[in-house]
């Protein structure tokens, strides 16, 4: 299993959300081959959308660059072996869930 094998590069997520990301990565790697990064990413994104609300994005692979804007507390970039996982909640899709949006003055960059 994945326990102890995930190496976090950068995150601002709560520990519980990080553990969910690691557990979902482990399940995805059990269900999909590492040569299927799109399926792995789709699985993790759907599960985070279902658990934490819409707007999650997931990128999985061995060679990619990124420059993203994310909601505070909703970003993790970690590795399992040579496979990188970038999981974040974008800021533009939050308008869909108006009950979960913090007032603008409560959001700090």
């Amino acid at each position: 299993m994945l326990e102890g094998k995930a190496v976090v590069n950068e995150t601002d997520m709560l520990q519980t959300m990080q553990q969910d990301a690691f557990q979902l990565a482990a399940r995805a790697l059990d269900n999909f081959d590492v040569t299927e990064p799109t399926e792995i990413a789709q699985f993790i994104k759907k599960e985070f959308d279902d658990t934490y609300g819409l707007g999650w994005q997931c990128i999985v692979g061995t060679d990619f660059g990124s420059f993203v804007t994310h909601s505070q507390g909703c970003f993790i970039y970690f590795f399992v072996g040579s496979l990188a996982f970038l999981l974040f909640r974008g800021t533009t899709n939050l308008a869909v869930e108006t009950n979960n949006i913090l007032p603008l003055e409560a959001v700090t960059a």
Side-chain angles (χ1 to χ4, degrees), residues 17-104:
M17 289 177 80
Q18 291 180 44
Q19 291 304 316
D20 286 347
F22 301 152
Q23 290 171 359
L24 288 171
R27 283 180 44 203
L29 290 170
D30 286 344
N31 293 329
F32 302 100
D33 192 86
V34 294
T35 61
E36 301 174 310
T38 303
E39 286 80 6
I40 293 169
Q42 182 179 22
F43 173 79
I44 294 170
K45 180 219 182 326
K46 182 185 178 315
E47 293 295 322
F48 257 72
D49 277 346
D50 291 347
T51 303
Y52 296 105
L54 299 176
W56 289 92
Q57 305 301 317
C58 186
I59 302 167
V60 177
T62 56
D63 185 24
F64 61 85
S66 67
F67 188 85
V68 300
T69 301
H70 65 88
S71 297
Q72 185 176 6
C74 297
F75 178 91
I76 189 166
Y77 179 49
F78 66 97
F79 288 85
V80 176
S82 63
L83 198 60
F85 294 77
L86 175 61
L87 177 64
F88 64 96
R89 188 176 197 184
T91 58
T92 58
N93 289 338
L94 291 178
V96 173
E97 299 181 7
T98 55
N99 294 336
N100 293 335
I101 294 178
L102 295 173
L104 186 57

